[in-house]
């Protein structure tokens, strides 16, 4: 009886907070792409101990893919939020003007999804982004650091510049580290979604999703 | 060959127009109509499941990019 009550309660909480289209795409299309490279890792190297060939290159590709997919999600979410906010602007003739301004020089269009770029773009929409994200869960502070580490490695791989002092003391990237980063992204994605839904709900008067 | 009319796509909230990268479109901007070229389909992330499009506008004033939902765009010419 107690377990049934708990599961019904969780179900109601889940229904009360519907995800954005961007988060749905993250949880389906983008995560599937990450699963594909995870599977490729297993097929090339196997799962046992011992020497495995080419896994370092696959790890590099995995890290870059993770960073790019997370960038894609953040960019999608930003665009979705701008669209919702603009629909409530009056007079309507101002809407395209503001739309253009909110995507002008958007860092997520070409830059990495590091905390600085993400915070800069979302803060333009009037939200205290990182304080709100951190307030949702104590784990988000650590997730933020892991996101930073992911982006440091992403840059190192892209530029082939492996400076151990920037990469946690090692030039060797292991799968366990990437899985840790992925778990951080999996935790941050719904947190961003919730923060922006709450913010738009306050600004516009109704939650967007 | 596609006719010179938008393609309609069904989403959970109804029918919406869709365009392709390279299409020339027109939209209302304050007091005038501007034309631009679609440079990116952002996917069905706009309100009601519409597609959002990134449009490049190149005028005498400036070269700007703007993201607009399908309902605010009119097809001028195919790519």
């Amino acid at each position: 009886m107690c377990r049934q009550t708990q599961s019904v309660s969780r179900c109601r909480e889940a229904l009360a907070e519907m995800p954005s289209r961007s988060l749905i795409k993250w949880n389906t299309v983008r995560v599937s792409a990450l699963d594909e490279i995870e599977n490729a890792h297993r097929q090339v190297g196997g799962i046992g101990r011992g020497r495995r060939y080419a896994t370092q290159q696959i790890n590099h590709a995995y890290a870059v893919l993770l960073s790019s997919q997370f960038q894609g999600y953040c960019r999608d979410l930003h665009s979705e939020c701008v669209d919702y906010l603009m629909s409530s602007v009056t007079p309507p003739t101002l809407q395209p003007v503001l739309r253009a301004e909110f995507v002008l020089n958007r860092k997520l269009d070409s830059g990495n999804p590091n905390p600085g770029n993400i915070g800069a773009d979302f803060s333009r929409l009037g939200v205290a982004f990182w304080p709100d994200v951190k307030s949702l869960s104590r784990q988000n502070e650590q997730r933020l650091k892991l996101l930073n580490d992911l982006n440091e490695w992403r840059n190192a791989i892209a530029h082939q510049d492996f400076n151990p002092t920037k990469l946690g003391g090692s030039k060797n990237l292991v799968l366990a580290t990437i899985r840790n980063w992925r778990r951080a992204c999996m935790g941050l994605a719904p947190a961003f979604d919730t923060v922006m839904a709450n913010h738009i709900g306050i600004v516009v008067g109704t939650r967007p999703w | 060959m596609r006719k010179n009319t938008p393609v309609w796509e069904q989403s959970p909230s109804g029918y919406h127009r869709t365009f392709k990268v390279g299409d020339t479109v027109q939209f209302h901007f304050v007091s005038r109509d501007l034309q631009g070229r679609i440079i990116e389909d952002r996917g069905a992330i706009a309100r009601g499941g519409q597609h959002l499009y990134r449009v490049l506008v190149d005028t005498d004033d400036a070269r700007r990019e703007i993201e607009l939902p399908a309902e605010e765009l009119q097809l001028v010419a195919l790519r």
Side-chain angles (χ1 to χ4, degrees):
Chain A
M1 182 71 172
C2 182
R3 281 184 190 170
Q4 283 179 347
T5 305
Q6 284 177 353
S7 66
V8 166
S9 172
R10 279 197 210 107
C11 184
R12 281 189 183 144
E13 283 174 11
L15 286 174
E17 293 189 6
M18 294 297 290
S20 62
R21 289 184 173 82
S22 304
L23 185 61
I24 291 170
K25 185 176 176 182
W26 165 259
N27 284 329
T28 53
V29 175
R30 297 190 185 280
V31 164
S32 291
L34 298 176
D35 288 341
E36 282 184 19
I37 200 164
E38 179 91 35
N39 291 335
H41 199 289
R42 264 192 219 102
Q43 285 171 19
V44 168
I47 58 173
R49 288 183 181 182
R51 195 175 178 189
R52 294 184 287 175
Y53 298 98
T55 53
Q56 186 65 196
Q57 300 308 312
I58 296 178
N59 287 346
H60 287 181
Y62 195 176
V64 172
L65 184 67
L66 177 60
S67 174
S68 75
Q69 290 292 351
F70 195 65
Q71 177 186 355
Y73 162 67
C74 294
R75 188 169 172 251
D76 284 349
L77 182 64
H78 189 271
S79 290
E80 195 170 350
C81 291
V82 169
D83 184 58
Y84 267 102
L85 285 170
M86 291 306 102
S87 67
S88 66
V89 166
T90 55
T93 46
L94 266 185
Q95 290 177 10
V97 177
L98 293 175
R99 281 183 183 275
E101 288 301 311
F102 277 123
V103 299
L104 177 65
N105 296 326
R106 182 168 57 186
K107 295 189 186 301
L108 287 168
D109 283 341
S110 57
N112 298 336
N114 57 50
N117 286 345
I118 293 171
D121 283 345
F122 281 99
S123 296
R124 287 168 72 181
L125 306 184
V127 62
F129 187 74
W130 283 120
D132 283 1
V133 168
K134 289 175 188 175
S135 70
L136 283 181
S137 167
R138 282 181 293 181
Q139 292 178 300
N140 286 340
E141 183 79 52
Q142 177 60 15
R143 287 170 178 157
L144 208 157
K145 288 177 186 161
L146 290 169
L147 181 64
N148 216 37
D149 293 344
L150 166 61
N151 281 287
E152 289 289 345
W153 266 99
R154 182 261 167 215
N155 288 339
I157 294 163
H159 301 293
Q160 288 294 291
D161 180 14
F162 299 96
N163 183 348
T165 56
K166 288 185 181 178
L167 302 177
S170 173
K171 289 202 281 187
N172 195 37
L173 182 58
V174 297
L175 184 60
T177 302
I178 304 170
R179 285 176 174 161
N180 228 9
W181 292 336
R182 180 170 166 171
R183 274 192 291 273
C185 291
M186 293 303 293
L188 288 173
F192 293 0
D193 189 89
T194 299
V195 163
M196 294 315 297
N198 290 343
H199 173 66
I200 293 172
I202 291 169
V203 171
V204 172
T206 53
R207 286 178 69 87
W209 50 79
Chain B
M1 188 172 178
R2 187 154 64 103
K3 294 179 183 177
N4 195 15
T5 53
V7 175
W8 295 84
E9 184 180 72
Q10 187 175 22
S11 75
S13 61
Y15 283 93
H16 301 286
R17 284 165 284 191
T18 62
F19 302 91
K20 292 206 182 303
V21 172
D23 285 350
T24 301
V25 292
Q26 182 172 288
F27 59 95
H28 197 66
F29 191 83
V30 191
S31 59
R32 54 186 170 145
D33 288 333
L34 289 180
Q35 285 191 7
R37 183 169 49 87
I38 290 178
I39 56 172
E40 187 182 358
D41 179 351
R42 298 300 321 282
I45 58 173
R47 284 160 292 124
Q50 295 179 73
H51 276 243
L52 193 69
Y53 296 96
R54 196 165 179 99
V55 180
L56 174 64
V57 180
D58 203 349
T59 64
D60 293 337
D61 304 340
R63 188 180 167 90
R64 295 288 293 270
E65 292 179 11
I66 182 173
E67 291 187 346
L68 292 164
E71 67 184 4
E72 297 191 21
L73 299 172
Q74 293 172 337
L75 184 67
V76 173
L78 298 172
R79 59 181 170 166

